[in-house]
Structure formats: structure tokens, C-alpha cells
Amino acid sequence: MAKDNSANSAENLMQAAEYVEKPESQLKEMWETLRQNKAAVVGLVIIALLALIAVTVWISELIGIQILPYDPNYSDMTKSFIWPNAEHWFGTDQLGRDVFSRIIDGTKISLFVGVTAVAISLSIGVLLGSIAGYRGGKTDAFIMRTMDVMLAIPSILLAIAFMAALGKGLDKAVIAIGLVSIPEYARIVRGSILSVKENDYVQAARVIGNGDSRIIFKHILPNIISLIVVRATLGISSAVLDTAALGFLGLGVQPPFAEWGDMLGRARGFIFTAPYTLIFPGIAITITVLAFNLFGDGLRDALDPKSRIK
Amino acid sequence: MNEVLMKVQDLSKYFTIDTDWRGKPVSVLKAVDEVSFAINKGEAFGLVGESGCGKTTLGKILVNLYTPTSGKIFFEGKELSALNKKQRRSYCKDIQMIFQDPYASLNPRMTIGDIIAEPIIINKLLPMSEVEERVIFLLNCVGLARHQRNRFPHEFSGGQRQRVGIARALAVEPKLIVCDEPVSALDVSIQAQVLNLLDDLKEEFKLTYLFIAHGLGVVKHISDRVGVMYLGKLVEIAPKKELYANPLNPYTQALLSAIPVINSEKKERIILKGDVPSPINPPAGCRFSSRCFKEFGPCKLNTPKLKEVSPDHWVACHLF
Amino acid sequence: MLLEVKNLRTEFKLKRGTVRAVDDVSFTIDKGEILAIVGESGSGKSVTSLSLMGLIQKPGGVAGGEILFKSQDLTKLSQKELQQIRGNKISMIFQEPMTSLNPVWRIKDQIMENIMTHMKISKKEALARTVEMLDTVGIPSPAERANDYPHQMSGGMRQRVMTAMALSCEPDLLIADEPTTALDVTIQAQILELLYQMREKFNMAVLLITHDLGVVYEAADRVIVMYCGKIVEEADVKTLFEHPQHPYTVGLLQSIPQIDNESDEHLYMIKGMVPNPLHMPPGCSFSDRCDRCMERCTKEMPELQEINGHKVRCFLYDKAEEGELSAK
């Protein structure tokens, strides 16, 4: 108890020292804090690299230049199961396709899936959460109980159920993954809206004549955007993981296109004879997920003004 | 001077604390309970009382943040519930509020200029081309400078933020401003600055104030008439000189005697026994009867009504 | 002399520079005396009291000076030794009675824990003492209320419990940091009355930290006025309120709306605001807000000097210029 008090007064003092003139903008200060977090920087660098790879591969495919050492989808049975060597860095798989090329090519799909799935769940989740939190009462109860039911079912099972209804394919997998994680966003948004809603400035906004939607979009959401951004960053990593899981089960991308989870799934029979066909896609998934998690954690700290002071 | 701007009749606001399984309320907090008073045009009406007495709830009902459970509000002679949508909008514009906590009442993501411009824009008071000029004018009115327009609230001290809150309230040219403890979160030297500013603005913009506070000194300084609240009830209303010189309700007497006064002989204090009872289960009869030092026969049985005991001096007490 | 603080300095090392929250503060408290420290936010009054208790946390710390409690320098003690004194010889009550009690413990457990860490007595005796203390601070039916949880009590009751806990080991010094700020006026009167009675009963000294000059006038024997980490004026209550000398004290007293004031005139106001602790004005830290600021004030910091037991830090009362001043 005593400690709280001293922390408080020290904090007041520091705030006093900070107010009057603040030379740095909030964004700049956030960036400073983020930069000091080494893990987050590593995460950011990896994400940037992955994005660069994905974009380059995509553009080269569009204009028809092959920059990968081999065509990732070209199979040559005579060259199956070559162990990693100077020619095939990560070896070749059961159909003689170059694993390195396939992994690089798969980056595109993984990132696309991650970002799109999060965009779907984010937009629907934020909307539902805002309505539930702002309206309260029966609307709130109805929306949130539906979300609770969704949360009660294991997400991968739910995604499979969605895919059973929608059919196979990458696009459907993205939608399924997006739908499955709606409740997480709805919950976070609802919770923060409930607390922000009680703030005096929201009441003040109502007194000067703001309508409901303007209050939500202008006065409430901008104040919880940081929470949503952090959650979305972490959400991308779980979407990548979910795609991999669906791919592993054979429900995601259809052959011959390269997707890490799908590669893992198809190679699982050769775990003892050609372990490299599993190891490298596995590492790719791990690195991507880890990068987003590290960056997301760093972002959360950077956006929280309290941890920024410390 | 004595033209009534706002009249409140038997206004009540109950909050349901707990319901049974059918949704029927089982415990109810009577935050404001059958309160009646009138505010004259151009005056500052002070409302004092301890925490939980319902003064802030009352203020929030008047600015339409809460819907009253029962009772009537008349503004410029018109009853509020009889207004159509358009008239209601103009009513809302005419009554503004200044909030207690300057740290919580400004949106941290908006510049102070945008905060002040917002009410002008959404109420379409001025063409967009003139908004900026008006914002600068308002900033100057409250003692802030043009170059501070694009700063964010966190760059300001508590006193300056409160000035921004005042400018925002002024932006729509209201007739009545509900000041909800506007200085209690500020330092002493800053309090005087803000109080003087409120005084000046009242003259300049011909404003009427409902000034809510727990500090009796502050209320006395700014108000013309003062109402005292206790547990959701108005217990005394009088012109300030009369109230401070001749308080009639024992609660007002105790409240006045509890304030430390500088440079006077240390006076005999009325120290009240016990705490303010919970408004969820207030004492029967007079709400103050559990702590009153003059409590007698009827106090625990009947709730006293506000009576005019001398011109303009109203008291709710069985002694009168 | 119970407590003697000599040249205390407490600093906070921030990214943008060092803030000297308490700057060269010296004062003494005698047995049974109530000393008040008044000041606005940022004046360093709370940091002073936390420094006495050794409760300043990183990035802050006591950077210099001595705190002599019964001739023992507290700044030289280890945390463990301090713990022996804290809550025992020196105890503290805080502003927020809502957050200062642990919500998941019963009242009696919290007080008993404090008693048993500092006194070698049995659980039974500790309980008896707890009930006795609750009775002393005026809690009705103390034996039953001791079983309550903090949330079952009102703010005033909790402040009484805090006081009971602070007094349970019969401290020599009680530090009361804004003990009545969070309370209503009628409850504030009760708590001040209680402090008074306890002082009489236990003959303890009280260091009262507050921003409310009314409370100071009612409760204290002697007053220290702080501004920006420095003592600007010190005198006994009567002298200070009747003949305030420092322009800051004078301004503060005039700017309070008094209930016995009949005029409708504007309040006196001190212009401007407390400077940013990282950008103090050169010279006297009050110079940028002072109505009587002279050229000298913007260049040097005046010393705290004593004239007949009344200490002031202001060039208006500089001994060298005294003749000139009285000539005016």
C-alpha cells in the first residue's frame, strides 16, 4: 500500500515534468520505446523481410520473371528426396520439387492469409463489440452470448465446420479462419468501450450534441485503437498457425501450390527418411509466428504510456 | 433579474442496483428524490452537499445525460418532455456542462482547437470558414493563446485543461452552464484563477450558472443563491448572505461549522455523529434524522417538505 | 527534539533530466508537536514525507542530507532496519482510505499483523489490542466491526481504521499525508478532532501534509510552506496566518474563498502556474509568478533566513535590505 503511494507521487512528479512542453510527438516517443526493445526490433525486421520476400515473389510472378532458383510447382520424379546440398539448399520433396523455392513461395500465401483473415475478423469483431458495448442491455447480451458459444468450440474444429459448409480452398480457409477469431476482437472492443464510455469526455461529447455513431467513431474507438492494433498483430500469427493447421489437414490451399502447413502435412510420412522436408517448413512457420508475437508484445509496451514512463 | 430560466418540479432519479430473476428491482438507489427549485436568469445558483448527495446526478439530468425517473423540467417556461425533436436539440445546446476532472473530460486524441471547434461544427452554428476564427476567439476568452490551438490535452496543466473545457461549453453560446465541481481538482492558486474567469465570463456572455460544489467557500464566492442537498433531498434554499449568516436546517449549520476558517477565533464545532447513511436504504422520515443533534418526535416518522419560512428562504425541517 | 531533518535532498532521475523534488529541506519536530507542511502539487511535500519513511522508489532516491530520528540517521539504515522503525516508531496514514487497506483481508487481520510484527505479544493479546484501538478511534461496536472487510466501511470509517492501525504500536511520530482530502467536510471535522485527541492521549508528534490551509489553521502548531521543493516560509500557526511574509504565502491566503468573506470582489490570484520542474526559472523559483519580483530575484536564489523564529526565503526580508524596506 505504501509502495503504491510513493509510485503515485513519483508518477505525478514525472507527469508534471512531462507536461508543459512536449517536444516529441506521441508517435515518435512510441517508436523510441519500441526501438529500445530488442526483441520487438528483431520481430519487426523479420516481418519486414517476410513482407519484402512475399511482395517480390508476387510481382515477379505477375510479370513472369523467375527469380526463385526453381519453379516451386515443377515436379520431377527423378529428383525426389535429394538431401540438402549446394544445388538444392533445403533439398527436394517426394515429387522432386525444390523445398527452398516452395518455402519462399509459401511466404506469400501465409502472409496473405494472415493479413486477410485478421482484416475479416477485425472489422466484424470491432463492429459487433462496439454495438454490444455501447448499447448494452439485451443487444449486448445477445451478441456476447453468441460470441461465448463460438469461443466454447475449439477454434480449429469450428474452422473445419465452416469449411465443411463453404467447401475446400484457400479463399474459404481464409474466411473460416477470419470468422473463427471474431469473438476475440468483439470481447476486447466491448470491454474497452465499457470502460472508455464512462469517461467524462464521452459524456461531454454527448452534452455538446454528438450522435451515437460519431461518439463511437470519433471519441471512443481512437482511444482504444492501440489495443486493437496490438491484438491484430498477435492475431496474424495465430492466423498463420491456423492456416498451417488447416493445410496440414489438407483443407487449405489445394495442390500444387506451396503452403507451409500443407507441405508439412504431405511430408509427414517421410519424417524418418527425409526429415528436412518437414523441418524447413516447420522452421518457417515458427519464425513467422515468433516474429509477429515479439513485435506485438513490443508494440503493446510501446503503446502503454505507463510502461513508457518506466 | 427574477425572470425564471429553469424550473425543476419534483424531479427524481432512481438507479436500480439489483433486480430479482424477473427483472423486478429489489434495491433502488434514490440519487435525487423529489427535488424542486428554480434558477433565475443571470444568477449563479450554488448547489452544495457531501459526496453521494445527488448533486452531480441532478446536474447530469439537466444536461440530458440521464433521463429523470419522474418529475418535470421547465426551461424558459416550456416543459421538456413536451418538446419535439428539434426543440429538444436546441434545449440541449442551450444547457452546457463543465466537468469536474479536467484530466478525464477532454478527448486525449483531439487537439484543443478541434475540441472547441467540434460543438460549433456539429450544431452547424457557423459556416466552416468562420469556425477557426471563433475557436481562436474562444481560446482568447479563456486566457489561452492562439499558438496553443494545435496542442493535445496532455501538454497542458490541470488549470489550462479546465479552461479548454470552459471554452468548449461556451462554444455553442449556451444560456445555462452546469458547473460540476469545476475547481475541486485544481490547486489553490489555480482555483482562484478559474473562479475569476468564470465570474468574468458570466458578465461577458450573460450566462446563468448552476454551480455544483462541496466547498462552501467556493460556492459562497460565486453564487447568488445556494441550495443545500443531503441524500438526494434539497434541505435548504436561500440567498447566500442569508444562508451563511442564518442557516436554519441543522444539517446546514453543521456543514458550515465544520469548515475550518482562517483568522477567526476557533469556534465551537458541531461535530456530527456517524457517517452519511447509504442512499440505498436511507433512514425513514427525515433523511438527516440519524445524525441530527436536534432530532425530535416527528423526524423519524415524516419526511419534511420545503417551506418558505422567510422571504426566499426555504427549509425542509420539522423545526419550522 | 524527536526528529531533525538536515539539508534533505530527494531527486528523481528521468530521461530528460534530474528533478530535484525536495531541495535542501531542514526542519525539526518536537515531541507532541503538530507540524504541518503545506504546498500545492509539485511542491515536494509528499515526497518529503515518503523520504522520511524511506519509501522513495526508483528512479528516485534520497541524494543527500540527514534524517535524525532520536539522533539516529535514518538515511544510513538498511531497509530491514527501517522496517523496524516504520509502522512502529514512525507510522503513516495516507490520503486514500479506499486503496490503503487490503480489500481481501478483514480489518482485524490487518491491524493484528501490524501489531504482531512490531510487538512480541500473543495473538490473543493482539486481538484485544486491536479492538481497544478501534474503540479509541471511535468505531462503534469495535469487536464486531473488526470482522468487517474494508469495502463494508465508509470512507470516514476506513480512515479511522487506518489511524487505528497507525497508532496501534504507539508511534512517536505519525505522518499524516492529506488525511482528510478524500473525505467530506463533516467527516473531515471528525478525523481532525480524532488526530487532536490522539496527540493528547499518546503525546506523539504529528507531521501533517496538506494543501488545505484551513486544515492547517485548525490543527497545526507550526507550519512549513513549500514551493517547488524548497521551504519558503516557516512559523508558528498564529504568526504565519496573521503576518504572512513570503509573497507566495500571502497570495495563497488571499486566493482562498472564505465563508466569512462578504465581498463579491474578484479573488486575489497568483498569476501563472507552477513551473516545469525541468525548466525552473533562474533565481527564486517563485520569481516568475511573484507580484513583488525584483531584478535580483531573477538572478539568485534567496536563502532561508530567520527573524524572531519566523523563517522566510525572500529578498524582501533580506537583512541587508531591511533598512531600505522599513524606510519605504
Side-chain angles (χ1 to χ4, degrees):
Chain A
M1 59 185 186
K3 280 176 187 156
D4 281 349
N5 224 346
S6 94
N8 276 344
S9 74
E11 208 167 278
N12 286 343
L13 196 96
M14 286 183 241
Q15 276 164 6
E18 307 252 329
Y19 71 74
V20 191
E21 278 159 78
K22 217 170 188 184
E24 298 160 77
S25 75
Q26 266 175 312
L27 212 66
K28 201 170 165 197
E29 188 156 336
M30 205 187 86
W31 171 238
E32 286 297 314
T33 320
L34 195 66
R35 242 181 36 178
Q36 282 166 17
N37 185 340
K38 290 217 175 64
V41 174
V42 171
L44 185 62
V45 169
I46 296 175
I47 292 171
L49 266 174
L50 289 172
L52 188 72
I53 292 171
V55 171
T56 322
V57 169
W58 182 58
I59 291 175
S60 69
E61 216 169 88
L62 275 186
I63 54 176
I65 306 168
Q66 190 180 338
I67 53 161
L68 295 171
Y70 299 91
D71 180 345
N73 300 328
Y74 175 75
S75 61
D76 179 357
M77 297 301 276
T78 60
K79 287 186 177 168
S80 61
F81 293 129
I82 299 174
W83 277 71
N85 58 28
E87 223 167 294
H88 296 279
W89 294 352
F90 292 178
T92 61
D93 65 3
Q94 67 274 25
L95 297 175
R97 294 174 296 197
D98 181 48
V99 175
F100 178 73
S101 302
R102 283 179 72 75
I103 284 181
I104 297 293
D105 194 43
T107 315
K108 186 181 66 185
I109 292 178
S110 287
L111 284 193
F112 165 77
V113 171
V115 172
T116 323
V118 165
I120 293 173
S121 44
L122 189 73
S123 44
I124 303 179
V126 168
L127 193 71
L128 288 178
S130 308
I131 296 172
Y134 191 74
R135 275 291 164 84
K138 290 204 173 113
T139 325
D140 179 28
F142 177 73
I143 294 177
M144 291 326 286
R145 289 308 79 75
T146 315
M147 297 292 119
D148 286 347
V149 170
M150 283 176 75
L151 278 173
I153 306 168
S155 66
I156 202 75
L157 271 186
L158 193 61
I160 292 172
F162 277 127
M163 297 212 53
L166 297 166
K168 276 188 183 181
L170 183 66
D171 46 347
K172 277 111 185 174
V174 172
I175 296 174
I177 293 165
L179 292 178
V180 167
S181 38
I182 289 174
E184 290 170 37
Y185 295 92
R187 278 190 135 184
I188 292 176
V189 170
R190 172 182 175 268
S192 16
I193 284 199
L194 280 183
S195 63
V196 173
K197 189 171 87 168
E198 290 311 311
N199 264 324
D200 276 351
Y201 64 82
V202 176
Q203 302 213 342
R206 193 161 312 148
V207 172
I208 58 172
N210 278 292
D212 285 350
S213 62
R214 204 184 140 88
I215 289 181
I216 294 183
F217 286 106
K218 180 96 190 166
H219 294 277
I220 298 181
L221 283 183
N223 284 295
I224 59 173
I225 199 92
S226 55
L227 261 169
I228 301 174
V229 169
V230 170
R231 190 66 200 83
T233 318
L234 297 172
I236 292 178
S237 75
S238 61
V240 169
L241 220 48
D242 283 350
T243 330
L246 284 180
F248 184 82
L249 296 171
L251 291 168
V253 65
Q254 294 308 301
F257 297 108
E259 194 271 327
W260 300 338
D262 182 62
M263 289 166 74
L264 266 183
R266 288 179 197 282
R268 72 179 184 276
F270 316 110
I271 186 162
F272 295 113
T273 51
Y276 55 90
T277 51
L278 280 99
I279 289 172
F280 291 114
I283 291 177
I285 294 172
T286 312
I287 287 180
T288 312
V289 170
L290 191 66
F292 276 103
N293 279 342
L294 290 178
F295 178 64
D297 278 344
L299 202 59
R300 174 172 48 216
D301 292 345
L303 288 170
D304 180 8
K306 280 215 174 109
S307 69
R308 217 185 294 161
I309 284 172
K310 278 156 201 157
Chain B
M1 172 83 188
N2 274 350
E3 189 188 337
V4 172
L5 180 71
M6 172 172 263
K7 200 170 106 181
V8 165
Q9 222 170 51
D10 295 326
L11 197 69
S12 302
K13 176 71 190 173
Y14 299 165
F15 293 99
T16 306
I17 300 298
D18 212 357
T19 55
D20 64 7
W21 59 274
R22 283 166 303 184
K24 259 182 142 184
V26 284
S27 86
V28 170
L29 186 150
K30 298 185 175 181
V32 176
D33 199 8
E34 293 181 10
V35 164
S36 307
F37 63 94
I39 304 174
N40 297 327
K41 210 167 201 158
E43 79 171 343
F45 185 83
L47 203 55
V48 283
E50 297 177 278
S51 52
C53 74
K55 54 191 193 301
T56 297
T57 310
L58 182 58
K60 288 190 174 171
I61 295 174
L62 298 188
V63 293
N64 218 1
L65 278 173
Y66 292 141
T67 341
T69 309
S70 64
K72 287 176 178 164
I73 301 171
F74 297 89
F75 188 69
E76 294 184 315
K78 274 179 260 163
E79 214 240 290
L80 185 57
S81 61
L83 298 181
N84 63 29
K85 215 174 169 186
K86 203 178 150 206
Q87 287 169 318
R88 222 186 156 82
R89 221 180 145 75
S90 117
Y91 164 85
C92 291
K93 182 182 85 61
D94 282 340
I95 303 182
Q96 286 301 313
M97 184 156 183
I98 298 169
F99 291 83
Q100 171 174 9
D101 184 354
Y103 293 89
S105 61
L106 305 178
N107 186 342
R109 303 270 162 164
M110 288 167 77
T111 64
I112 61 160
D114 291 345
I115 289 172
I116 298 170
E118 188 181 26
I120 307 176
I121 295 168
I122 50 179
N123 287 295
K124 301 190 183 69
L125 298 177
L126 287 173
M128 285 307 275
S129 55
E130 289 167 37
V131 171
E132 209 41 49
E133 196 186 328
R134 176 84 181 155
V135 168
I136 303 297
F137 167 75
L138 287 164
L139 277 176
N140 292 340
C141 280
V142 296
L144 293 170
R146 176 189 285 265
H147 68 86
Q148 289 167 314
R149 190 226 174 272
N150 287 323
R151 301 245 183 111
F152 285 91
H154 67 256
E155 299 172 57
F156 292 88
S157 66
Q160 287 175 316
R161 287 187 216 203
Q162 202 55 297
R163 288 171 192 265
V164 176
I166 294 171
R168 171 177 60 192
L170 285 177
V172 293
E173 297 168 34
K175 292 174 178 151
L176 174 72
I177 296 186
V178 175
C179 310
D180 184 12
E181 309 242 15
V183 298
S184 62
L186 305 176
D187 269 327
V188 182
S189 69
I190 307 299
Q191 280 189 8
Q193 295 175 354
V194 172
L195 285 176
N196 285 346
L197 174 69
L198 285 171
D199 246 354
D200 291 339
L201 293 174
K202 182 166 166 266
E203 292 293 310
E204 198 177 333
F205 292 89
K206 308 266 176 298
L207 295 167
T208 305
Y209 288 151
L210 172 65
F211 195 95
I212 300 169
H214 67 270
L216 285 134
V218 172
V219 167
K220 175 159 192 197
H221 178 75
I222 202 136
S223 314
D224 301 307
R225 282 192 309 139
V226 179
V228 182
M229 276 186 89
Y230 184 77
L231 276 183
K233 289 272 190 197
L234 257 176
V235 296
E236 189 158 4
I237 306 175
K240 76 167 169 200
K241 283 206 172 121
E242 168 78 5
L243 186 94
Y244 283 77
N246 183 23
L248 294 178
N249 192 301
Y251 175 65
T252 317
Q253 292 170 2
L255 203 58
L256 282 172
S257 92
I259 302 170
V261 179
I262 296 166
N263 283 347
S264 65
E265 283 305 303
K266 287 195 181 169
K267 55 193 174 181
E268 200 46 47
R269 273 238 182 97
I270 305 167
I271 300 231
L272 289 177
K273 53 191 177 199
D275 282 315
V276 182
S278 155
I280 298 173
N281 276 314
C286 174
R287 302 243 167 128
F288 186 56
S289 58
S290 63
R291 300 172 77 197
C292 188
F293 49 94
K294 287 181 179 166
E295 181 250 323
F296 68 112
C299 295
K300 288 209 188 301
L301 303 172
N302 304 317
T303 311
K305 289 250 178 311
L306 264 183
K307 286 180 282 264
E308 190 166 19
V309 290
S310 60
D312 229 14
H313 193 153
W314 298 71
V315 188
C317 179
H318 287 299
L319 288 167
F320 303 95
Chain C
M1 200 174 297
L2 181 69
L3 179 81
E4 185 176 11
V5 175
K6 279 186 192 163
N7 309 96
L8 180 69
R9 268 192 295 124
T10 303
E11 290 176 348
F12 287 83
K13 292 196 167 50
L14 305 180
K15 263 190 281 171
R16 300 217 187 97
T18 300
V19 172
R20 196 166 283 180
V22 176
D23 191 2
D24 202 15
V25 163
S26 307
F27 60 88
T28 61
I29 305 178
D30 282 336
K31 243 186 152 106
E33 182 184 36
I34 300 187
L35 172 70
I37 301 186
V38 268
E40 298 181 283
S41 48
S43 65
K45 56 186 193 307
S46 283
V47 179
T48 305
S49 69
L50 292 170
S51 304
L52 298 187
M53 297 287 278
L55 289 174
I56 298 288
Q57 290 187 331
K58 291 272 171 224
V62 174
E66 293 171 14
I67 302 167
L68 299 170
F69 179 70
K70 295 182 163 172
S71 320
Q72 188 182 21
D73 190 351
L74 298 188
T75 57
K76 299 226 163 51
L77 297 183
S78 67
Q79 274 299 325
K80 211 171 167 193
E81 289 168 306
L82 264 178
Q83 232 149 40
Q84 284 303 309
I85 294 179
R86 218 188 285 154
N88 187 12
K89 300 276 170 39
I90 305 181
S91 47
M92 191 155 183
I93 50 180
F94 295 105
Q95 174 174 357
E96 286 293 338
M98 305 294 165
T99 52
S100 302
L101 288 165
N102 186 337
V104 298
W105 282 24
R106 290 177 197 279
I107 298 295
K108 65 170 184 196
D109 294 332
Q110 309 199 28
I111 302 181
M112 277 166 66
E113 195 210 12
N114 190 39
I115 296 175
M116 285 166 70
T117 39
H118 294 297
M119 292 170 139
K120 287 195 175 57
I121 54 175
S122 72
K123 215 169 170 180
K124 217 171 153 190
E125 287 168 307
L127 180 63
R129 185 156 175 82
T130 301
V131 175
E132 183 196 322
M133 286 315 299
L134 289 176
D135 190 39
T136 315
V137 297
I139 288 183
S141 45
E144 286 119 62
R145 294 312 296 266
N147 289 316
D148 281 359
Y149 287 95
H151 70 91
Q152 292 169 292
M153 303 189 133
S154 65
M157 281 295 168
R158 277 185 250 198
Q159 198 57 289
R160 280 172 193 268
V161 170
M162 282 301 296
T163 315
M165 184 149 60
L167 298 180
S168 58
C169 293
E170 299 189 7
D172 297 311
L173 174 66
L174 178 72
I175 300 178
D177 190 352
E178 304 265 11
T180 60
T181 307
L183 305 173
D184 283 318
V185 251
T186 57
I187 310 298
Q188 168 178 314
Q190 293 174 346
I191 297 290
L192 285 182
E193 185 70 24
L194 175 68
L195 274 185
Y196 238 82
Q197 289 168 0
M198 294 302 112
R199 191 261 296 256
E200 298 292 309
K201 191 162 173 183
F202 298 111
N203 192 31
M204 64 177 181
V206 180
L207 179 63
L208 181 68
I209 313 280
T210 181
H211 70 276
D212 189 333
L213 285 160
V215 168
V216 172
Y217 184 76
E218 294 268 321
D221 302 318
R222 208 149 48 84
V223 195
I224 287 175
V225 183
M226 280 184 79
Y227 185 77
C228 288
K230 287 196 164 63
I231 295 181
V232 295
E233 186 159 4
E234 179 182 344
D236 64 272
V237 164
K238 214 167 163 353
T239 320
L240 188 99
F241 283 90
E242 282 170 12
H243 308 287
Q245 296 198 325
H246 196 281
Y248 176 63
T249 319
V250 175
L252 268 190
L253 284 171
Q254 286 178 348
S255 62
I256 304 169
Q258 287 287 319
I259 58 163
D260 57 353
N261 175 16
E262 292 303 331
S263 91
D264 282 335
E265 303 269 297
H266 261 173
L267 290 167
Y268 173 81
M269 46 183 188
I270 302 174
K271 64 190 178 202
M273 54 188 185
V274 179
N276 183 332
L278 287 173
H279 304 285
M280 284 289 185
C284 173
S285 35
F286 189 59
S287 58
D288 61 333
R289 304 178 73 189
C290 185
D291 282 343
R292 303 178 69 183
C293 176
M294 304 174 287
E295 205 192 329
R296 188 177 172 194
C297 305
T298 59
K299 290 185 183 128
E300 346 164 17
M301 175 54 113
E303 290 300 312
L304 189 66
Q305 41 184 315
E306 185 172 343
I307 306 163
N308 308 327
H310 191 150
K311 291 184 192 160
V312 197
R313 186 190 291 277
C314 183
F315 286 126
L316 288 171
Y317 307 97
D318 197 4
K319 274 176 187 140
E321 294 179 17
E322 204 163 61
E324 189 194 340
L325 195 77
S326 54
K328 280 181 189 169

